[in-house]
Amino acid sequence: MRSIWRTLDRGLARDIGLVCLADCLVGVSYGAIAVSSGFPLWLPMLMSLLVFAGASQFMFVGIVAAGGNPFAAVLAGLLANARHLPFGFAIGDVLGKRWPARLLGSHLMSDETVAFAMAQDEAPRRRAAYWACGLGIFVFWNAGVLAGAYAGTAITDTDVFGLDAAFPAVLLALVLPSLRDKAARWPVLAGVLVALAATPFLPAGLPVLLALAGVLVGVAAKEPEPQEAR
C-alpha cells in the first residue's frame, strides 16, 4: 500500500482526489433519492458495498421506483456493466496474479479507475493509479451514499434540491466528448430515439433495454475494412 502512494505524483493524486470528491457528491444524491423513493435505509448502502456500480445502482432504483419490474432493473444493470468485460482484458496486468487481489481489483473496477490506469505509461504508475483511484472512490462513494441515505429520511422531494439531476449530469458529461466522433453519434441518437418512442407504451426499464438497438445501428454503419491486394 505504501508503494502505491510513493508512486503517485502530486498532480495525479490531486486528479484522483477530485474524482473521488465528485463521486462522493453523486453518492449523496443516490442515497437520498433511493431512501426518499421508498427504499429502506439499508438497501442503498448494501448495494454500494456489494454491487459498487453507480450506473447500475441508479438504474435499479429509478426503474423500480417508477413501477418497473425488479428483474428488468437487474438485467438493465447487468447490461450496463457489460463494458467491464473488455475493461478486464485492457487492465488485467494491474490486478496482479493472486486471486484475492484480482477479485478485489475486479470489484473496484469502474470507468474512472480504468481511465486513470490506461493514461499511465509505466506499469508501476498504472497499478498505483488503479488501486489508489479504486480504493479512494470506494471509500468516498460509500461515505456519500451513507450521508445521502440519512438525508433522504428527512427530504421528501429530492427534485427541489436538484439531487435527481446529479447522476444524469455526470453521465452526460462523460458521453458528450465521445459524440465528437461521427461513428458514435448515430448509435447514441438511435438509442435515444428508441427509448423516447417506447417510454409512453412500455413499463419502466424496458425502454432502457431497447435503447441498445443503437448498437446495431453502429454495427450496420461500420464500413468493412478494405481487403489487401494480392
Side-chain angles (χ1 to χ4, degrees):
M1 185 63 67
R2 291 180 180 178
S3 62
I4 293 178
W5 301 113
R6 285 199 298 264
T7 305
L8 297 176
D9 57 47
R10 181 175 298 179
L12 182 56
R14 178 201 60 209
D15 293 341
I16 291 176
L18 290 175
V19 169
C20 291
L21 179 60
D23 279 354
C24 180
L25 296 177
V26 177
V28 171
S29 70
Y30 164 71
I33 290 171
V35 173
S36 64
S37 297
F39 290 92
L41 185 67
W42 55 267
L43 182 63
M45 294 185 287
L46 182 63
M47 288 183 64
S48 295
L49 289 171
L50 300 182
V51 179
F52 188 52
S56 298
Q57 292 176 230
F58 265 100
M59 198 172 295
F60 179 87
V61 168
I63 291 174
V64 175
N69 190 308
F71 293 102
V74 172
L75 181 58
L78 290 174
L79 289 174
N81 275 355
R83 68 190 188 282
H84 285 193
L85 292 176
F87 284 176
F89 289 108
I91 50 87
D93 59 313
V94 307
L95 302 182
K97 297 182 179 179
R98 297 180 179 179
W99 278 107
R102 294 184 71 86
L103 289 174
L104 177 60
S106 299
H107 186 59
L108 297 177
M109 185 182 298
S110 65
D111 299 303
E112 298 91 337
T113 56
V114 173
F116 273 109
M118 295 295 292
Q120 312 308 313
D121 296 327
E122 301 175 356
R125 284 178 60 85
R126 282 163 57 90
R127 287 192 292 270
Y130 183 89
W131 285 101
C133 185
L135 292 171
I137 290 178
F138 185 82
V139 172
F140 275 77
W141 170 261
N142 281 281
V145 172
L146 177 63
Y150 278 101
T153 60
I155 300 174
T156 57
D157 187 4
T158 55
D159 295 357
V160 174
F161 295 90
L163 295 177
D164 59 312
F167 188 67
V170 172
L171 287 182
L172 184 61
L174 292 173
V175 169
L176 282 178
S178 66
L179 296 182
R180 297 175 183 173
D181 183 5
K182 184 178 180 180
R185 292 177 198 155
W186 291 112
V188 171
L189 180 60
V192 170
L193 292 177
V194 169
L196 289 176
T199 297
F201 308 103
L202 296 178
L206 291 183
V208 176
L209 299 179
L210 291 179
L212 293 173
V215 177
L216 300 178
V217 174
V219 173
K222 186 177 180 180
E223 297 181 0
E225 297 181 359
Q227 296 181 353
E228 296 181 1
R230 296 184 178 179

